[in-house]
Amino acid sequence: MFVATGRSKLNAAQRRYLRRFLPAMLVYSVVIMVSGNAIGHHRVSGGLLIALSIAPALPLLCAIAAVGLYLHEETDEYIRMRAVIGSLGGTGLVLATGTIWGFLEQGGVLPHLPAWFVFPLWAVGLGLSQWVCNLRDRWSGGAE
């Protein structure tokens, strides 16, 4: 989410972000396995099925909130700009992929893509955007 340079330690906003984001992802990892196992191996229905189905989304909502809070709390304008560019890159990748995939799916060219795929795709786009920003900074001599 943020740029860690070799000369700097994590600032307060970055530490808070990690304290929020990492537990959310740990909980997500456990919940996705438990709920997937319960739904796949047991006959669940009704409210329990709804609860087990939505349970993996809740830690991801916490992770999304952690990203939003980080963008709000980061005081270094350059680092915040880089995080925003990364987030926009992730959002752009989701929108472009969803649009193209949707039309190809409608035409029968591609299979249905589950909606839960949005968050991992956004994270990939965020990482790619930040990688491109790092390359751009290195080539221009901006990064140390």
Side-chain angles (χ1 to χ4, degrees):
M1 182 79 232
F2 45 81
V3 179
T5 61
R7 61 179 165 77
S8 65
K9 295 180 179 178
L10 298 178
N11 65 33
Q14 293 167 338
R15 286 192 300 273
R16 284 192 298 271
Y17 167 75
L18 290 177
R19 280 196 303 261
R20 294 169 182 148
F21 185 81
L22 293 178
M25 296 313 294
L26 179 65
V27 170
Y28 170 73
S29 300
V30 172
V31 170
I32 190 77
M33 288 188 287
V34 170
S35 68
N37 185 36
I39 293 171
H41 293 93
H42 303 287
R43 290 183 173 263
V44 292
S45 61
L48 181 59
L49 179 59
I50 292 171
L52 288 170
S53 297
I54 201 168
L58 299 177
L60 290 181
L61 295 178
C62 292
I64 292 168
V67 171
L69 288 170
Y70 171 69
L71 293 175
H72 178 72
E73 294 172 351
E74 178 58 63
T75 56
D76 186 311
E77 292 179 8
Y78 175 73
I79 294 174
R80 183 172 42 214
M81 180 199 65
R82 295 282 304 266
V84 168
I85 289 171
S87 296
L88 288 174
T91 302
L93 182 64
V94 166
L95 290 173
T97 302
T99 301
I100 293 169
W101 195 283
F103 281 113
L104 291 172
E105 181 181 326
Q106 188 175 8
V109 177
L110 291 175
H112 176 68
L113 185 64
W116 60 261
F117 206 76
V118 169
F119 188 80
L121 185 61
W122 177 83
V124 167
L126 180 140
L128 287 173
S129 294
Q130 291 188 333
W131 178 68
V132 168
C133 285
N134 285 339
L135 286 178
R136 185 191 64 201
D137 285 352
R138 284 187 188 162
W139 290 340
S140 67
E144 296 177 22

